[in-house]
Amino acid sequence: MNIRTTTFCCLAASCITLAQYAASASTLSDVQRQLFPDKAKVLQVNQNAIPLIESQNTTSNLNGVVILIGESGRPPVSQQNLAMLTQYLNDLGWVTMQVSPPTIGFEPDLVIEDNDQSVAQSNGTSTDETTTETREQNPQPQQSKPATPSSPQYQIHRISNAHFLEHEAELKELINATMLRAQEYSGFRLVIAQGSSAAWLIKIYAEKQIPNPDAMVAISPFWPQRNLNSLIAKYTAITEMPILDIYSAQDNSWSLLSAAQRTTTATKSLKLDYRQRELTSAFNTKPDSAFVSKEIYGWLHNLGW
């Protein structure tokens, strides 16, 4: 790699970092404008201010804290399904803390790929040659680009190894910081995660990278890449904590691809504290949130909580 290429890549990385910082600041401002100060909190994660929406239980008894992590790339105020779910959980005796996950590995990847292609063309090399050189420098296994499911919004994504690990590291820091804040309250610790955030957390807990919560609810877990998405069932089966797996026939194709495999693998692994439930519609309405809250209540009651 020559000086020109190195300079270009450094500038691109700097631009992406600044864009991510600006997006984080914008998200925090949006949350603070739309919510009352007693609900819009600020969580310090690795010197970054992350918005946290905290709601108190409305009952005389406190069961514990529920941490809710939405889909990557969407701020808390746009996760209306989880916002509606928190109301039901508060009425069931839970303090809820809703946080926004990292965005690394999604839109920024498109910028990197475009820049890599431009650099390769400016140096008189093909994109394939650049990719081969990158693979030789990075010993981690790379998969050929698979055919993606039919959902248009997920056809453009391809998570690089570097961005995958960076996203995972930031998510771990976020969960650790939120768990630390949850120590202000007594009771159980329940994590509810949706989409790619659910997939990442299942992997993180399966590999024991951070302490497990008392239980986890995974809503439509997926990764928008075939070789990664196929691993979710395996990670689900080897987790040591109870898992409630919720999906809908209206989910994107990535989630549906692994739905049957998740329950089959868990059954074969004799994971007795695993349950899968199917929603009759997409998880984006108040009745859906009411249904999910009842499923959570019944499942936790069955666990003896």
Side-chain angles (χ1 to χ4, degrees):
M1 181 178 293
N2 56 33
I3 297 177
R4 180 182 178 185
T5 302
T6 303
T7 303
F8 186 91
C9 292
C10 290
L11 289 173
S14 299
C15 291
I16 292 172
T17 301
L18 290 173
Q20 291 172 350
Y21 178 83
S24 177
S26 177
T27 298
L28 180 59
S29 299
D30 290 343
V31 172
Q32 291 175 327
R33 282 197 302 267
Q34 297 182 41
L35 298 175
F36 291 111
D38 61 327
K39 283 193 173 183
K41 308 290 184 179
V42 176
L43 188 67
Q44 293 296 328
V45 181
N46 196 21
Q47 299 182 346
N48 293 323
I50 304 298
L52 179 145
I53 303 175
E54 184 173 323
S55 300
Q56 299 295 317
N57 58 305
T58 59
T59 59
S60 57
N61 65 306
L62 173 64
N63 292 326
V65 178
V66 178
I67 297 174
L68 302 100
I69 305 97
E71 179 56 74
S72 296
R74 296 177 58 192
V77 291
S78 71
Q79 310 261 4
Q80 292 301 319
N81 48 1
L82 294 182
M84 289 183 287
L85 180 59
T86 60
Q87 301 173 14
Y88 293 104
L89 294 172
N90 295 149
D91 292 340
L92 291 174
W94 295 92
V95 171
T96 56
M97 297 181 179
Q98 185 181 353
V99 292
S100 184
T103 60
I104 297 172
F106 289 81
E107 289 80 8
D109 269 2
L110 302 181
V111 179
I112 288 292
E113 289 173 4
D114 289 343
N115 289 340
D116 288 346
Q117 184 174 4
S118 298
V119 171
Q121 291 176 351
S122 65
N123 291 333
T125 59
S126 66
T127 305
D128 292 338
E129 292 174 350
T130 304
T131 303
T132 302
E133 180 182 355
T134 303
R135 289 177 178 175
E136 290 175 352
Q137 295 174 352
N138 185 356
Q140 298 184 16
Q142 297 279 351
Q143 300 290 335
S144 59
K145 189 173 182 180
T148 56
S150 57
S151 301
Q153 64 269 40
Y154 296 111
Q155 288 182 345
I156 60 176
H157 294 310
R158 182 171 177 270
I159 308 173
S160 67
N161 284 335
H163 283 169
F164 184 92
L165 296 175
E166 189 175 354
H167 188 119
E168 185 175 280
E170 288 201 6
L171 185 57
K172 285 190 296 183
E173 292 176 351
L174 175 63
I175 294 299
N176 284 332
T178 311
M179 281 292 185
L180 184 62
R181 185 182 185 90
Q183 291 181 3
E184 299 177 5
Y185 303 92
S186 60
F188 294 103
R189 300 291 180 261
L190 175 66
V191 170
I192 300 177
Q194 185 176 14
S196 58
S197 297
W200 253 297
L201 282 177
I202 290 172
K203 176 183 182 294
I204 290 170
Y205 290 131
E207 295 177 343
K208 302 180 181 179
Q209 298 185 40
I210 59 176
N212 290 337
D214 295 304
M216 178 180 176
V217 178
I219 302 176
S220 308
F222 77 95
W223 274 311
Q225 190 167 318
R226 185 179 178 185
N227 63 309
L228 298 175
N229 199 60
S230 62
L231 297 175
I232 298 176
K234 170 190 170 183
Y235 288 130
T236 300
I238 64 176
T239 52
E240 296 180 351
M241 64 200 170
I243 290 185
L244 175 60
D245 182 348
I246 296 177
Y247 78 101
S248 166
Q250 306 301 317
D251 287 347
N252 67 70
S253 299
W254 288 116
S255 177
L256 294 178
L257 277 175
S258 66
Q261 188 180 10
R262 295 196 301 268
T263 186
T264 299
T265 306
T267 300
K268 288 183 176 180
S269 301
L270 301 179
K271 186 172 177 57
L272 301 179
D273 51 7
Y274 171 86
R275 177 187 294 179
Q276 187 178 77
R277 298 291 290 171
E278 180 181 0
L279 289 172
T280 56
S281 59
F283 178 49
N284 55 15
T285 66
K286 192 170 184 178
D288 293 332
S289 297
F291 177 84
V292 170
S293 68
K294 292 177 181 178
E295 287 293 332
I296 294 174
Y297 173 81
W299 176 62
L300 295 179
H301 181 74
N302 185 64
L303 294 176
W305 291 24

